[in-house]
């Protein structure tokens, strides 16, 4: 019918924007799709992260359900074309919104200090580049220009080029910024999602160096001048620790008799683990055990806290031995050597503190010699199995002797 209780059908088909929707899981919210309210059909759908409810005015019958779906399709088309409702975008400069976004990130990721710090670092370069540009005016072209600027640097401002892994972090954090900005009506869309934005791939962004025995010896011969750097690297290459896990090691988690160390504060549930210590790792922790600090790596600048970075001394060592590597590569080196030694991937995942075996596989870099040795072992195993089957077949085919009756 064209009318219902005095209201026209067009009056009944109205949109209600439901704010604060999060993945359709809010208490009391209807599920997406067709819903029945007091015998009448309603359509629930999401466009651009915002949820809409369409009251069709139709009774809940099989025939009307088809009509309701047609109504839903029409209303979606109206919204997408902007005919029904045009979002109002608030004018906001990038430089003004950046501090608010960083404050939000610090609160949102308060239990993940490294995450919000990486976001803050990315926002420093993003704010420097976009400055007073309106957020809504940042398009694909502006993002491409930013990426080129980061790759080439700016000698006039003494800004050095960055690696692809750093650029990848910047672009991902810019995407997060636009997600935040859209919810506050500072932008209509997220330009980072555009198909023509070539974000550095995981393969291009991965920056790994596996230390050879010679490189390891040269590095630590120089690193001995800084005990924190030396011991951090040795613990990582012996145990597979992350750098921040070494620095936040607590003395209360060190079991002298069992020769184990416990990681209390990890980036995931799997990261909170207890590790059996190698002889060298045990010796290092025993040497660092005396003292009033609860940490094995206490900070001199911040009493009561542990150290949080060793970038400068690490870079000085690399410059001295003419090597390009990240501190994290000691962890990669541990994982690679463990894999080459024959350690199974599940055990390695537990030691590294990873729940995903796929993530662990990324750390393992078998050499040509290791792959050849593995194939030789497989060849020997297959030969042994074949010989066993042949031997069993011979015994089965051989005539059985009759036992003499005594």
């Amino acid at each position: 019918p064209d009318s219902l209780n005095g209201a026209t059908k067009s009056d009944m088909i109205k949109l209600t924007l439901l704010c604060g929707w999060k993945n359709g899981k809010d208490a009391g919210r209807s599920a997406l799709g067709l819903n029945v309210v007091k015998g009448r059909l309603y359509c629930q759908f999401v466009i651009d992260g915002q949820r809409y409810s369409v009251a069709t005015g139709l009774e809940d019958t099989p025939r009307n359900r088809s009509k309701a779906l047609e109504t839903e399709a029409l209303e979606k088309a109206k919204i997408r074309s902007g005919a029904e409702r045009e979002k109002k975008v608030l004018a906001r400069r990038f430089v003004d919104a950046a501090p608010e976004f960083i404050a939000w990130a610090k609160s949102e990721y308060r239990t993940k200090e490294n995450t919000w710090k990486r976001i803050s670092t990315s926002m420093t370069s993003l704010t420097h580049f976009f400055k007073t540009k309106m957020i809504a005016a940042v398009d694909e072209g502006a993002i491409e220009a930013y990426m080129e600027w980061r790759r080439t640097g700016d000698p006039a401002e003494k800004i050095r080029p960055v690696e692809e892994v750093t650029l990848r972090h910047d672009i991902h954090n810019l995407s997060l910024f636009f997600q935040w900005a859209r919810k506050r009506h500072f932008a209509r869309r997220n330009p980072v999602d555009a198909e023509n934005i070539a974000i550095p791939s995981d393969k291009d962004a991965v920056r790994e160096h596996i230390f050879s025995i010679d490189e390891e010896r040269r590095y630590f011969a120089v690193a001995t001048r800084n005990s924190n750097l030396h011991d951090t690297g040795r613990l990582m290459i012996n145990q597979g620790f992350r750098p921040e896990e070494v620095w936040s090691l607590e003395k209360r988690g060190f079991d002298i008799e069992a020769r184990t160390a416990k990681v209390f504060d990890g980036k995931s549930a799997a990261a909170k683990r207890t590790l059996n210590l190698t002889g060298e790792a045990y010796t290092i922790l025993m040497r660092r055990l005396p003292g009033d600090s609860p940490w094995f790596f206490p900070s001199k600048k911040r009493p009561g806290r542990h150290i949080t970075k060793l970038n400068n001394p690490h870079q000085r060592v690399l410059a001295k031995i003419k090597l390009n590597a990240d501190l994290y590569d000691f962890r990669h080196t541990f994982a690679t050597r463990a894999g080459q030694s024959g350690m199974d991937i599940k055990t390695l995942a537990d030691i590294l503190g990873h729940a995903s075996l796929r993530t662990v596989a990324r750390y393992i870099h078998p050499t040509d010699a290791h792959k050849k040795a593995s194939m030789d072992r497989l060849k020997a195993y297959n030969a042994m199995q074949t010989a066993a089957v042949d031997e069993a077949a011979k015994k089965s085919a051989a005539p059985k002797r009759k036992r003499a009756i005594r």
Side-chain angles (χ1 to χ4, degrees), residues 255-283:
D255 190 323
I256 297 176
E257 293 184 0
R259 301 173 76 92
T260 61
K262 186 172 184 179
V263 177
F264 290 101
D265 186 19
K267 62 189 296 186
S268 65
K272 299 173 183 178
R273 62 204 189 278
T274 300
L275 294 176
N276 295 296
L277 299 170
T278 65
E280 182 183 1
Y282 179 81
T283 300

mmCIF file of all heavy atoms in Angstrom, residues 255-283:
data_model
loop_
_atom_site.group_PDB
_atom_site.id
_atom_site.type_symbol
_atom_site.label_atom_id
_atom_site.label_comp_id
_atom_site.label_asym_id
_atom_site.label_seq_id
_atom_site.Cartn_x
_atom_site.Cartn_y
_atom_site.Cartn_z
ATOM 1 N N ASP A 255 65.509 -17.761 37.589
ATOM 2 C CA ASP A 255 65.610 -18.924 38.475
ATOM 3 C C ASP A 255 67.030 -19.471 38.377
ATOM 4 O O ASP A 255 67.397 -20.094 37.378
ATOM 5 C CB ASP A 255 64.592 -19.992 38.075
ATOM 6 C CG ASP A 255 64.473 -21.110 39.106
ATOM 7 O OD1 ASP A 255 65.513 -21.486 39.690
ATOM 8 O OD2 ASP A 255 63.360 -21.619 39.299
ATOM 9 N N ILE A 256 67.820 -19.235 39.417
ATOM 10 C CA ILE A 256 69.235 -19.618 39.392
ATOM 11 C C ILE A 256 69.400 -21.131 39.324
ATOM 12 O O ILE A 256 70.229 -21.637 38.569
ATOM 13 C CB ILE A 256 69.963 -19.048 40.628
ATOM 14 C CG1 ILE A 256 69.917 -17.520 40.600
ATOM 15 C CG2 ILE A 256 71.406 -19.536 40.680
ATOM 16 C CD1 ILE A 256 70.532 -16.865 41.823
ATOM 17 N N GLU A 257 68.602 -21.863 40.101
ATOM 18 C CA GLU A 257 68.741 -23.319 40.133
ATOM 19 C C GLU A 257 68.267 -23.962 38.839
ATOM 20 O O GLU A 257 68.911 -24.862 38.306
ATOM 21 C CB GLU A 257 67.969 -23.887 41.327
ATOM 22 C CG GLU A 257 68.557 -23.488 42.673
ATOM 23 C CD GLU A 257 67.819 -24.143 43.824
ATOM 24 O OE1 GLU A 257 66.864 -24.907 43.566
ATOM 25 O OE2 GLU A 257 68.205 -23.887 44.981
ATOM 26 N N ALA A 258 67.119 -23.514 38.328
ATOM 27 C CA ALA A 258 66.582 -24.086 37.088
ATOM 28 C C ALA A 258 67.279 -23.537 35.853
ATOM 29 O O ALA A 258 67.114 -24.069 34.757
ATOM 30 C CB ALA A 258 65.083 -23.813 36.990
ATOM 31 N N ARG A 259 68.031 -22.451 36.039
ATOM 32 C CA ARG A 259 68.745 -21.781 34.941
ATOM 33 C C ARG A 259 67.759 -21.354 33.840
ATOM 34 O O ARG A 259 67.934 -21.638 32.659
ATOM 35 C CB ARG A 259 69.839 -22.694 34.355
ATOM 36 C CG ARG A 259 70.886 -23.114 35.380
ATOM 37 C CD ARG A 259 71.836 -24.137 34.811
ATOM 38 N NE ARG A 259 72.807 -23.556 33.902
ATOM 39 C CZ ARG A 259 74.003 -23.120 34.257
ATOM 40 N NH1 ARG A 259 74.384 -23.171 35.528
ATOM 41 N NH2 ARG A 259 74.836 -22.622 33.369
ATOM 42 N N THR A 260 66.728 -20.649 34.280
ATOM 43 C CA THR A 260 65.710 -20.145 33.363
ATOM 44 C C THR A 260 65.470 -18.660 33.612
ATOM 45 O O THR A 260 65.773 -18.141 34.683
ATOM 46 C CB THR A 260 64.366 -20.885 33.518
ATOM 47 O OG1 THR A 260 63.876 -20.699 34.862
ATOM 48 C CG2 THR A 260 64.520 -22.367 33.227
ATOM 49 N N ALA A 261 64.911 -17.988 32.606
ATOM 50 C CA ALA A 261 64.519 -16.576 32.725
ATOM 51 C C ALA A 261 63.108 -16.434 32.175
ATOM 52 O O ALA A 261 62.782 -17.016 31.130
ATOM 53 C CB ALA A 261 65.486 -15.674 31.967
ATOM 54 N N LYS A 262 62.295 -15.652 32.868
ATOM 55 C CA LYS A 262 60.905 -15.481 32.466
ATOM 56 C C LYS A 262 60.667 -14.095 31.878
ATOM 57 O O LYS A 262 61.133 -13.096 32.423
ATOM 58 C CB LYS A 262 59.982 -15.686 33.670
ATOM 59 C CG LYS A 262 58.500 -15.676 33.320
ATOM 60 C CD LYS A 262 57.648 -16.084 34.502
ATOM 61 C CE LYS A 262 56.173 -16.159 34.130
ATOM 62 N NZ LYS A 262 55.337 -16.590 35.288
ATOM 63 N N VAL A 263 59.959 -14.068 30.755
ATOM 64 C CA VAL A 263 59.558 -12.806 30.123
ATOM 65 C C VAL A 263 58.149 -12.500 30.605
ATOM 66 O O VAL A 263 57.196 -13.200 30.253
ATOM 67 C CB VAL A 263 59.594 -12.909 28.585
ATOM 68 C CG1 VAL A 263 59.107 -11.598 27.955
ATOM 69 C CG2 VAL A 263 60.994 -13.245 28.103
ATOM 70 N N PHE A 264 58.012 -11.465 31.423
ATOM 71 C CA PHE A 264 56.709 -11.115 31.982
ATOM 72 C C PHE A 264 55.897 -10.232 31.046
ATOM 73 O O PHE A 264 54.682 -10.373 30.938
ATOM 74 C CB PHE A 264 56.886 -10.382 33.325
ATOM 75 C CG PHE A 264 57.386 -11.253 34.434
ATOM 76 C CD1 PHE A 264 58.722 -11.216 34.811
ATOM 77 C CD2 PHE A 264 56.532 -12.111 35.100
ATOM 78 C CE1 PHE A 264 59.197 -12.017 35.840
ATOM 79 C CE2 PHE A 264 56.992 -12.919 36.135
ATOM 80 C CZ PHE A 264 58.331 -12.871 36.506
ATOM 81 N N ASP A 265 56.570 -9.299 30.399
ATOM 82 C CA ASP A 265 55.873 -8.284 29.600
ATOM 83 C C ASP A 265 56.160 -8.514 28.128
ATOM 84 O O ASP A 265 57.179 -8.084 27.602
ATOM 85 C CB ASP A 265 56.331 -6.884 30.016
ATOM 86 C CG ASP A 265 55.528 -5.794 29.320
ATOM 87 O OD1 ASP A 265 54.424 -6.096 28.828
ATOM 88 O OD2 ASP A 265 55.999 -4.647 29.258
ATOM 89 N N GLY A 266 55.255 -9.207 27.441
ATOM 90 C CA GLY A 266 55.435 -9.495 26.019
ATOM 91 C C GLY A 266 54.408 -8.788 25.174
ATOM 92 O O GLY A 266 53.399 -8.298 25.673
ATOM 93 N N LYS A 267 54.648 -8.726 23.860
ATOM 94 C CA LYS A 267 53.728 -8.053 22.941
ATOM 95 C C LYS A 267 52.492 -8.900 22.661
ATOM 96 O O LYS A 267 51.551 -8.439 22.031
ATOM 97 C CB LYS A 267 54.453 -7.708 21.645
ATOM 98 C CG LYS A 267 54.976 -8.895 20.873
ATOM 99 C CD LYS A 267 55.858 -8.470 19.714
ATOM 100 C CE LYS A 267 55.104 -7.689 18.672
ATOM 101 N NZ LYS A 267 55.926 -7.412 17.493
ATOM 102 N N SER A 268 52.478 -10.159 23.106
ATOM 103 C CA SER A 268 51.330 -11.037 22.926
ATOM 104 C C SER A 268 51.361 -12.074 24.041
ATOM 105 O O SER A 268 52.324 -12.164 24.817
ATOM 106 C CB SER A 268 51.376 -11.725 21.565
ATOM 107 O OG SER A 268 52.491 -12.599 21.488
ATOM 108 N N ALA A 269 50.298 -12.888 24.119
ATOM 109 C CA ALA A 269 50.250 -13.930 25.141
ATOM 110 C C ALA A 269 51.383 -14.931 24.945
ATOM 111 O O ALA A 269 51.983 -15.408 25.911
ATOM 112 C CB ALA A 269 48.894 -14.632 25.099
ATOM 113 N N ALA A 270 51.694 -15.248 23.689
ATOM 114 C CA ALA A 270 52.752 -16.211 23.398
ATOM 115 C C ALA A 270 54.124 -15.677 23.795
ATOM 116 O O ALA A 270 55.046 -16.446 24.064
ATOM 117 C CB ALA A 270 52.734 -16.579 21.914
ATOM 118 N N ALA A 271 54.270 -14.347 23.804
ATOM 119 C CA ALA A 271 55.562 -13.740 24.118
ATOM 120 C C ALA A 271 55.903 -13.847 25.600
ATOM 121 O O ALA A 271 57.073 -13.757 25.980
ATOM 122 C CB ALA A 271 55.575 -12.277 23.688
ATOM 123 N N LYS A 272 54.902 -14.053 26.437
ATOM 124 C CA LYS A 272 55.133 -14.212 27.874
ATOM 125 C C LYS A 272 55.523 -15.669 28.109
ATOM 126 O O LYS A 272 54.660 -16.551 28.133
ATOM 127 C CB LYS A 272 53.885 -13.819 28.660
ATOM 128 C CG LYS A 272 53.487 -12.360 28.435
ATOM 129 C CD LYS A 272 52.164 -12.028 29.090
ATOM 130 C CE LYS A 272 51.757 -10.584 28.796
ATOM 131 N NZ LYS A 272 50.448 -10.236 29.375
ATOM 132 N N ARG A 273 56.813 -15.913 28.273
ATOM 133 C CA ARG A 273 57.315 -17.282 28.273
ATOM 134 C C ARG A 273 58.511 -17.431 29.202
ATOM 135 O O ARG A 273 59.085 -16.435 29.639
ATOM 136 C CB ARG A 273 57.719 -17.688 26.848
ATOM 137 C CG ARG A 273 58.847 -16.810 26.277
ATOM 138 C CD ARG A 273 58.817 -16.825 24.756
ATOM 139 N NE ARG A 273 59.998 -16.178 24.174
ATOM 140 C CZ ARG A 273 60.132 -14.865 24.028
ATOM 141 N NH1 ARG A 273 59.182 -14.052 24.433
ATOM 142 N NH2 ARG A 273 61.225 -14.371 23.470
ATOM 143 N N THR A 274 58.880 -18.662 29.477
ATOM 144 C CA THR A 274 60.057 -18.976 30.275
ATOM 145 C C THR A 274 61.064 -19.693 29.397
ATOM 146 O O THR A 274 60.712 -20.662 28.710
ATOM 147 C CB THR A 274 59.688 -19.860 31.483
ATOM 148 O OG1 THR A 274 58.747 -19.165 32.314
ATOM 149 C CG2 THR A 274 60.918 -20.196 32.295
ATOM 150 N N LEU A 275 62.304 -19.214 29.398
ATOM 151 C CA LEU A 275 63.327 -19.752 28.511
ATOM 152 C C LEU A 275 64.433 -20.441 29.301
ATOM 153 O O LEU A 275 64.889 -19.941 30.334
ATOM 154 C CB LEU A 275 63.939 -18.622 27.676
ATOM 155 C CG LEU A 275 63.000 -17.942 26.672
ATOM 156 C CD1 LEU A 275 63.715 -16.780 26.005
ATOM 157 C CD2 LEU A 275 62.519 -18.930 25.626
ATOM 158 N N ASN A 276 64.858 -21.594 28.807
ATOM 159 C CA ASN A 276 66.040 -22.268 29.331
ATOM 160 C C ASN A 276 67.270 -21.539 28.813
ATOM 161 O O ASN A 276 67.390 -21.292 27.608
ATOM 162 C CB ASN A 276 66.059 -23.726 28.885
ATOM 163 C CG ASN A 276 64.901 -24.520 29.465
ATOM 164 O OD1 ASN A 276 64.804 -24.681 30.671
ATOM 165 N ND2 ASN A 276 64.015 -24.989 28.600
ATOM 166 N N LEU A 277 68.173 -21.210 29.710
ATOM 167 C CA LEU A 277 69.310 -20.365 29.351
ATOM 168 C C LEU A 277 70.514 -21.182 28.894
ATOM 169 O O LEU A 277 70.814 -22.239 29.456
ATOM 170 C CB LEU A 277 69.703 -19.488 30.535
ATOM 171 C CG LEU A 277 68.635 -18.514 31.033
ATOM 172 C CD1 LEU A 277 69.072 -17.884 32.344
ATOM 173 C CD2 LEU A 277 68.337 -17.442 29.991
ATOM 174 N N THR A 278 71.213 -20.651 27.885
ATOM 175 C CA THR A 278 72.492 -21.238 27.503
ATOM 176 C C THR A 278 73.523 -20.871 28.571
ATOM 177 O O THR A 278 73.283 -20.001 29.416
ATOM 178 C CB THR A 278 72.958 -20.691 26.146
ATOM 179 O OG1 THR A 278 73.219 -19.280 26.287
ATOM 180 C CG2 THR A 278 71.916 -20.909 25.063
ATOM 181 N N GLY A 279 74.665 -21.524 28.515
ATOM 182 C CA GLY A 279 75.703 -21.234 29.501
ATOM 183 C C GLY A 279 76.135 -19.789 29.480
ATOM 184 O O GLY A 279 76.297 -19.151 30.538
ATOM 185 N N GLU A 280 76.297 -19.211 28.279
ATOM 186 C CA GLU A 280 76.735 -17.817 28.180
ATOM 187 C C GLU A 280 75.666 -16.867 28.698
ATOM 188 O O GLU A 280 75.970 -15.906 29.418
ATOM 189 C CB GLU A 280 77.079 -17.475 26.732
ATOM 190 C CG GLU A 280 77.596 -16.052 26.565
ATOM 191 C CD GLU A 280 77.886 -15.672 25.121
ATOM 192 O OE1 GLU A 280 77.665 -16.519 24.227
ATOM 193 O OE2 GLU A 280 78.327 -14.528 24.888
ATOM 194 N N ALA A 281 74.390 -17.119 28.339
ATOM 195 C CA ALA A 281 73.304 -16.255 28.797
ATOM 196 C C ALA A 281 73.182 -16.295 30.320
ATOM 197 O O ALA A 281 72.967 -15.260 30.969
ATOM 198 C CB ALA A 281 71.988 -16.674 28.149
ATOM 199 N N TYR A 282 73.328 -17.482 30.886
ATOM 200 C CA TYR A 282 73.261 -17.633 32.345
ATOM 201 C C TYR A 282 74.383 -16.842 33.022
ATOM 202 O O TYR A 282 74.165 -16.151 34.026
ATOM 203 C CB TYR A 282 73.367 -19.124 32.695
ATOM 204 C CG TYR A 282 73.343 -19.420 34.176
ATOM 205 C CD1 TYR A 282 72.147 -19.459 34.873
ATOM 206 C CD2 TYR A 282 74.534 -19.682 34.870
ATOM 207 C CE1 TYR A 282 72.127 -19.743 36.235
ATOM 208 C CE2 TYR A 282 74.527 -19.963 36.219
ATOM 209 C CZ TYR A 282 73.312 -19.994 36.909
ATOM 210 O OH TYR A 282 73.294 -20.265 38.248
ATOM 211 N N THR A 283 75.583 -16.906 32.457
ATOM 212 C CA THR A 283 76.729 -16.183 33.021
ATOM 213 C C THR A 283 76.503 -14.678 32.990
ATOM 214 O O THR A 283 76.827 -13.951 33.940
ATOM 215 C CB THR A 283 78.008 -16.531 32.247
ATOM 216 O OG1 THR A 283 78.239 -17.942 32.334
ATOM 217 C CG2 THR A 283 79.209 -15.788 32.802
#
